[in-house]
């Protein structure tokens, strides 16, 4: 019954809702302003109101002509996210479950580091990639997020940090969904949050992760963006990766590695390989040896991830001594490797886990 109500609400909202102004890049906003017969500098003023003053209504933009404020209200909405759940970990990590305009929910995570505050954003409601270890894929893909809905996550968390005199200093695009499955909106999001007149998050403080949609890796390499790039690898062989990540059937490991080489050659930038350790599955020394062989000679870094237990999945944590043994085996081959610091181990930290617990009607 609840799912039916969400679908009904979604349909009604789709009819009456304006596009999100957060979905406009600075250049798109400037073009729209000019089309309205206004001076281009108005785009700068609007961006300042949205991203520096964090305005929630066009009526607040008092240095704009009243007619322009009325036009903005007629054509756009300022996206708002409703906080359904806020979990705070002992280590300072905060996980938010936000509700969207159509009743669907997404997760956003604020992580505190000694170098600043990092936010992990979601790009889709659900996910269709089907990784066997991930709660995000439970219930499949419901829809893509608009760029403005991804931007709104950063703005919402930034508003919470404003109260403490802090700011979001870095962004990781590793939340629910496959970013490259929502490629065009992802690129718009990156341009918006990176823009100097907006949130001004430096490109090298933004990381995008993909499970391996090969054509988009080539396209991303050609974008010429200076953001950091990560591959969710999780296995050193084709056979094992297919068991963990069904996407490997469509985009097999050897071709994925060809795309990675193209990216490195085209951009000159380092690639990070995310490698989740699952007890007794991919965490043995032989796997470390195979991984070292797979990536030898590449400009890369391996990020070992002690996985969080997900009740809906059957994987268990790798023992600490085995994690360190795996790390040593890679270092022996000259591989640049770190073990990711755990965040939110005492809350529903695994990607998609909070949504799966709180919104069962979405994740069946």
């Amino acid at each position: 019954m609840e799912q039916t109500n969400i679908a009904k609400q979604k349909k009604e909202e789709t009819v009456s809702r304006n596009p999100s102004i957060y979905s406009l890049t600075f250049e798109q906003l400037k073009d729209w302003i000019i089309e309205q017969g206004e001076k281009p500098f108005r785009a700068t003023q609007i961006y300042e109101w949205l991203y520096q003053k964090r305005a929630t209504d066009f009526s607040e933009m008092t240095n704009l002509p009243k007619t322009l404020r009325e036009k903005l209200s007629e054509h756009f909405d300022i996206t708002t996210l409703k906080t359904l759940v806020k979990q705070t970990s002992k280590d300072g990590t905060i996980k938010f479950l936000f509700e969207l305009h159509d009743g669907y929910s997404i997760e956003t995570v604020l992580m505190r580091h000694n170098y600043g505050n990092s936010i992990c954003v979601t790009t889709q409601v659900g996910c269709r990639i089907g990784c066997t270890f991930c709660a995000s894929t439970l219930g499949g893909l419901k829809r893509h997020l608009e760029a403005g809905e991804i931007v709104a996550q950063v703005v919402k968390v930034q508003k919470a940090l404003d109260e403490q005199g802090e700011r979001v200093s870095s962004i990781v695009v590793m939340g629910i969904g496959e970013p490259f499955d929502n490629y065009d909106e992802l690129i718009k999001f990156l341009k918006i949050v990176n823009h100097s007149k907006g949130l001004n998050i430096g490109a090298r403080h933004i990381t995008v992760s993909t499970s391996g949609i090969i054509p988009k890796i080539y396209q991303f390499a050609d974008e010429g963006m200076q953001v950091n790039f990560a591959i969710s690898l999780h296995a050193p062989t084709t056979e094992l990766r297919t068991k963990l990540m069904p996407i490997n059937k469509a985009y097999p490991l050897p071709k994925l590695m060809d795309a990675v080489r193209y990216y490195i050659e085209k951009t000159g930038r380092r690639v990070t390989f995310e490698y989740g350790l699952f007890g007794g599955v991919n965490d043995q020394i032989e796997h470390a040896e195979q991984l070292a062989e797979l990536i030898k000679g590449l400009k890369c870094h391996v990020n070992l991830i002690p996985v969080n237990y997900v009740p809906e999945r059957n994987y268990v944590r790798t023992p600490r001594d085995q994690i360190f043994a795996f790390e040593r085996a890679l270092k022996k081959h000259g591989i640049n490797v770190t073990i990711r610091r755990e965040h939110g181990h005492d809350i529903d930290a695994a990607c998609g886990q909070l949504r799966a617990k709180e919104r069962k009607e979405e994740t069946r």
Side-chain angles (χ1 to χ4, degrees), residues 249-266:
K249 297 175 185 175
Y251 302 115
L253 186 57
K255 291 186 177 180
L256 174 61
M257 297 309 296
D258 287 342
V260 169
R261 291 185 188 93
Y262 176 85
Y263 176 87
I264 294 171
E265 290 169 9
K266 178 78 180 200

Side-chain angles (χ1 to χ4, degrees), residues 285-303:
I285 297 302
E286 65 181 283
H287 297 126
E289 298 286 343
Q290 291 167 338
L291 178 59
E293 180 64 23
L294 179 71
I295 64 177
K296 69 178 181 181
L298 293 180
K299 188 176 184 179
C300 68
H301 168 257
V302 174
N303 192 13

Side-chain angles (χ1 to χ4, degrees), residues 20-25 28 51 146-149 151 185 188 192:
S20 171
I21 195 165
Y22 288 145
S23 286
L24 295 185
T25 65
Q28 288 174 327
Y51 299 117
E146 301 166 26
E149 292 174 312
V151 172
E185 298 302 303
K188 284 172 63 178
I192 292 163

Side-chain angles (χ1 to χ4, degrees), residues 90-101:
K90 293 175 183 176
D91 63 19
T93 300
I94 301 175
K95 189 163 201 177
F96 300 89
L97 186 68
F98 293 133
E99 186 174 72
L100 302 167
H101 69 90

Side-chain angles (χ1 to χ4, degrees), residues 308-322:
N308 289 300
Y309 172 68
V310 177
E312 295 83 2
R313 303 303 193 182
N314 295 319
Y315 298 107
V316 297
R317 286 176 81 81
T318 295
R320 282 178 60 83
D321 58 347
Q322 184 63 26

Side-chain angles (χ1 to χ4, degrees), residues 68-323:
L68 178 55
R69 280 179 272 159
E70 289 172 349
K71 285 180 184 178
L72 287 166
S73 294
E74 289 170 9
H75 288 85
F76 303 106
D77 288 341
I78 299 178
T79 300
T80 56
L81 302 173
K82 177 183 177 183
T83 302
L84 296 173
V85 180
K86 178 181 176 182
Q87 292 185 336
T88 303
S89 169
K90 293 175 183 176
D91 63 19
T93 300
I94 301 175
K95 189 163 201 177
F96 300 89
L97 186 68
F98 293 133
E99 186 174 72
L100 302 167
H101 69 90
D102 55 10
Y104 284 132
S105 62
I106 56 172
E107 294 179 357
T108 308
V109 183
L110 171 66
M111 297 166 286
R112 298 183 183 278
H113 307 273
N114 54 13
Y115 54 82
N117 296 308
S118 176
I119 178 174
C120 180
V121 298
T122 283
T123 53
Q124 295 176 305
V125 179
C127 183
R128 62 176 154 204
I129 300 301
C131 298
T132 61
F133 49 82
C134 185
S136 295
T137 197
L138 296 169
L141 176 68
K142 304 303 182 187
R143 71 171 175 86
H144 300 306
L145 293 189
E146 301 166 26
E149 292 174 312
I150 312 173
V151 172
Q153 297 171 58
V154 184
V155 175
K156 181 83 170 179
V157 174
Q158 180 57 67
K159 284 181 180 177
L161 289 173
D162 285 341
E163 298 173 7
Q164 303 163 40
E166 300 180 38
R167 72 181 297 260
V168 173
S169 54
S170 60
I171 297 172
V172 291
V173 189
M174 297 182 185
I176 294 172
E178 162 52 60
F180 280 5
D181 193 31
N182 190 16
Y183 187 84
D184 291 343
E185 298 302 303
L186 167 71
I187 296 301
K188 284 172 63 178
F189 162 76
L190 295 175
K191 290 178 179 178
I192 292 163
V193 296
N194 175 235
H195 200 280
S196 60
K197 299 183 189 305
L199 289 166
N200 196 25
I201 307 292
R204 298 191 181 196
H205 294 276
I206 302 172
T207 301
V208 174
S209 176
T210 180
S211 60
I213 300 181
I214 290 173
K216 297 303 181 184
I217 295 175
Y218 285 98
Q219 189 174 347
F220 192 64
D222 293 339
E223 296 282 354
M225 304 184 88
Q226 294 295 304
V227 303
N228 302 312
F229 182 50
I231 301 284
S232 293
L233 190 63
H234 305 309
T237 66
T238 296
E239 181 182 12
L240 181 55
R241 193 166 194 265
T242 299
K243 289 179 180 178
L244 291 170
M245 306 176 72
I247 192 174
N248 201 66
K249 297 175 185 175
Y251 302 115
L253 186 57
K255 291 186 177 180
L256 174 61
M257 297 309 296
D258 287 342
V260 169
R261 291 185 188 93
Y262 176 85
Y263 176 87
I264 294 171
E265 290 169 9
K266 178 78 180 200
T267 67
R269 296 183 61 75
R270 183 179 74 169
V271 168
T272 294
F273 291 107
E274 307 280 352
Y275 194 99
L277 292 165
F278 306 100
V281 177
N282 68 343
D283 61 348
Q284 303 303 300
I285 297 302
E286 65 181 283
H287 297 126
E289 298 286 343
Q290 291 167 338
L291 178 59
E293 180 64 23
L294 179 71
I295 64 177
K296 69 178 181 181
L298 293 180
K299 188 176 184 179
C300 68
H301 168 257
V302 174
N303 192 13
L304 296 179
I305 306 169
V307 298
N308 289 300
Y309 172 68
V310 177
E312 295 83 2
R313 303 303 193 182
N314 295 319
Y315 298 107
V316 297
R317 286 176 81 81
T318 295
R320 282 178 60 83
D321 58 347
Q322 184 63 26
I323 294 172

